[in-house]
């Protein structure tokens, strides 16, 4: 009875409403999110999974990112009849006080949470399953969820996701920014973590290699997105922008090669926060702090069309 009442209230929202607060109970406390639905009963429902770092449910972080990418995506999907939940991960935003210390966090906990949200969200929408819409690291979380019971997962939308192991992508991102011998030391440390061994901190890179985060990095590095997508038999959309300075079409091509049945879309002139941006780094990064800049025109229609396609 209570769940039916909650669903009835949620479904009364219009696409222009800011949404309603929802929580997911976990073993360390509640996670907090936002449910946004169209005015009519939703045609489908999705769970938006945030990328790495302290990125909140709206796609913003205290590290200077104020793009509001996930909020804009949720609002756009509602206009197409698709309800969504977007949520603050453990240790982020309203989910900051979940009772878990950083050194105890593992990648599998984030996978547990995504599955929990999918199950709860599908039930709230009155639908048999929910789509996992993973952005950046969230794409790997969505892929890893398919190793479990996938009955609550309709399929995957993988946006700006790495198509290679995390160590490889980090080396590609860090390499041009680090002088020698720091670069060699960092690459050696990353290889050690991938092998499951903790390392000494590196001067100048203390934040990346702090002892409390290394168990998480080890658990993250254990996943290969190519193996995960190859094993998944459900519908998959791979979406990638050409001016993304964090993940490239090399990654989307790698995932497509591993799973030829997946649908691949490439957005010309679209960056990591799904805004129109040039390849030049400084101008590209400026879009990360502009919440008033809309998502690139094809982003929402392409995702909505894939989710709503007859199957």
């Amino acid at each position: 009875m209570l769940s039916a009442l909650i669903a009835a209230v949620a479904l009364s929202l219009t696409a222009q409403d800011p949404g309603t607060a929802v929580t997911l109970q976990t073993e360390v406390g509640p996670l907090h999110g936002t449910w946004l639905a169209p005015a009519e009963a939703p045609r489908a429902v999705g769970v938006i999974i945030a990328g790495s770092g302290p990125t909140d449910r709206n796609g913003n972080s205290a590290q200077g990112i104020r793009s509001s990418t996930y909020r804009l995506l949720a609002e756009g999907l509602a206009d197409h009849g698709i309800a969504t939940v977007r949520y603050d991960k453990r240790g982020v935003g309203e989910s900051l006080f979940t009772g878990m210390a950083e050194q105890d966090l593992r990648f599998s906990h984030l996978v547990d949470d995504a599955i929990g949200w999918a199950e709860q969200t599908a039930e709230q929408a009155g639908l048999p399953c929910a789509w996992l819409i993973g952005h950046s690291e969230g794409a790997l979380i969505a892929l890893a969820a398919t190793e479990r019971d996938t009955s609550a997962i309709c399929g995957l939308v993988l946006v700006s996701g790495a198509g290679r192991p995390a160590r490889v992508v980090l080396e590609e991102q860090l390499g041009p920014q680090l002088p020698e011998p720091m670069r060699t030391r960092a690459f050696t440390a990353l290889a050690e973590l991938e092998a499951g061994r903790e390392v000494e901190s590196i001067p100048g890179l203390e934040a990346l290699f702090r002892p409390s985060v290394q168990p998480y990095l080890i658990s993250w590095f254990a996943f290969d997105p190519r193996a995960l997508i190859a094993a998944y038999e459900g519908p998959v959309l791979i979406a990638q922008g050409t001016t993304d300075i964090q993940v490239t079409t090399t990654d989307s091509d790698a995932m497509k090669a591993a799973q030829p049945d997946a649908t691949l879309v490439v957005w010309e002139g679209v960056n990591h926060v799904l805004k129109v941006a040039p390849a030049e780094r400084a101008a590209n990064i400026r879009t990360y702090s502009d919440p008033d800049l809309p998502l690139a025109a094809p982003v929402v229609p392409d995702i909505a069309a894939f989710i709503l396609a007859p199957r």
Side-chain angles (χ1 to χ4, degrees), residues 20-195:
T20 190
V22 287
T23 59
L24 176 72
Q25 294 299 325
T26 75
E27 78 284 1
V28 293
L31 301 182
H32 297 268
T34 299
W35 162 270
L36 183 64
E40 304 298 327
R43 303 169 64 188
V45 65
V47 175
I48 299 174
I49 309 171
S52 61
T55 306
D56 69 15
R57 74 186 80 177
N58 291 324
N60 304 324
S61 85
Q63 295 179 336
I65 299 176
R66 298 185 299 278
S67 61
S68 293
T69 295
Y70 307 148
R71 176 182 60 80
L72 294 170
L73 178 58
E75 291 171 353
L77 291 175
D79 287 336
H80 286 78
I82 300 170
T84 57
V85 160
R86 59 192 195 273
Y87 62 96
D88 293 334
K89 300 177 296 182
R90 300 186 187 206
V92 176
E94 285 190 73
S95 302
L96 180 61
F97 303 106
T98 54
M100 175 171 282
E102 183 178 63
Q103 60 264 28
D104 297 325
L105 181 66
R106 301 293 184 273
F107 193 83
S108 61
H109 293 128
L110 305 185
V111 178
D112 293 340
D113 298 340
I115 294 171
W117 280 112
E119 294 171 346
Q120 178 172 295
T121 301
E123 180 179 2
Q124 180 171 350
L127 295 169
C129 57
W131 290 83
L132 294 185
I133 306 170
H135 175 252
S136 194
E137 186 187 60
L140 184 60
I141 294 170
L143 278 167
T146 64
E147 291 191 309
R148 318 276 187 85
D149 179 6
T150 59
S151 58
I153 302 172
C154 301
L156 307 179
V157 176
L158 310 176
V159 184
S160 305
R164 298 164 291 163
R167 176 191 61 80
V168 176
V169 177
L170 279 175
E171 287 184 352
E172 192 172 89
Q173 293 175 350
L174 287 171
Q177 305 177 52
L178 300 179
E180 290 292 359
M182 185 184 291
R183 182 188 300 115
T184 297
R185 293 188 64 188
F187 285 9
T188 300
L190 290 172
E192 286 291 295
L193 291 170
E194 186 179 52

Side-chain angles (χ1 to χ4, degrees), residues 265-281:
V265 295
V266 176
W267 295 317
E268 291 295 329
V270 176
N271 70 357
H272 196 68
V273 294
L274 311 185
K275 310 287 182 85
V276 173
E280 192 273 319
R281 187 176 182 85

